[in-house]
Amino acid sequence: MTVVYMTRVRYGLLVGSFVAAVGATMYAVFLYPRQHIDYYKTQQSKNRAAIKIDDIQPGGMRVWSDPFDRRKHD
C-alpha cells in the first residue's frame, strides 16, 4: 500500500509541477504585457524613434499605426 501511495504522490507532484510551469509561462507571455501596457508603449516609441518611416515604407502601403491606440465605440 505504501508503494502505491508514493506513486500517486509522485504522479500528483509531476502533474502539479507541469500545471504550475504552464501557468507561469502563460502569465509571462499574456498577462504581464496586458497589465503593463504603458511600459511596452514607451519601449516601442524609444525603439522606433530613430526610424524614418518614409524611407523604409514601401510605396502604396499605409504607415505604421499605434497598436495601443484603441478605437472608441459610440
Side-chain angles (χ1 to χ4, degrees):
M1 185 69 166
T2 307
V3 175
V4 173
Y5 177 73
M6 289 303 292
T7 306
R8 288 181 182 173
V9 169
R10 287 182 185 168
Y11 179 73
L13 289 174
L14 178 70
V15 170
S17 63
F18 180 74
V19 169
V22 169
T25 302
M26 291 296 183
Y27 175 77
V29 171
F30 296 111
L31 294 178
Y32 185 82
R34 293 283 295 172
Q35 293 173 346
H36 299 89
I37 288 177
D38 294 333
Y39 170 76
Y40 287 99
K41 192 173 183 178
T42 56
Q43 288 296 89
Q44 185 179 40
S45 63
K46 288 179 188 178
N47 291 338
R48 292 184 177 179
I51 298 174
K52 295 181 183 176
I53 296 174
D54 296 331
D55 293 344
I56 63 170
Q57 192 69 26
M61 296 186 73
R62 69 183 193 104
V63 179
W64 284 341
S65 60
D66 184 6
F68 298 102
D69 187 24
R70 306 288 186 232
R71 293 181 180 172
K72 304 281 191 253
H73 295 286
D74 294 327

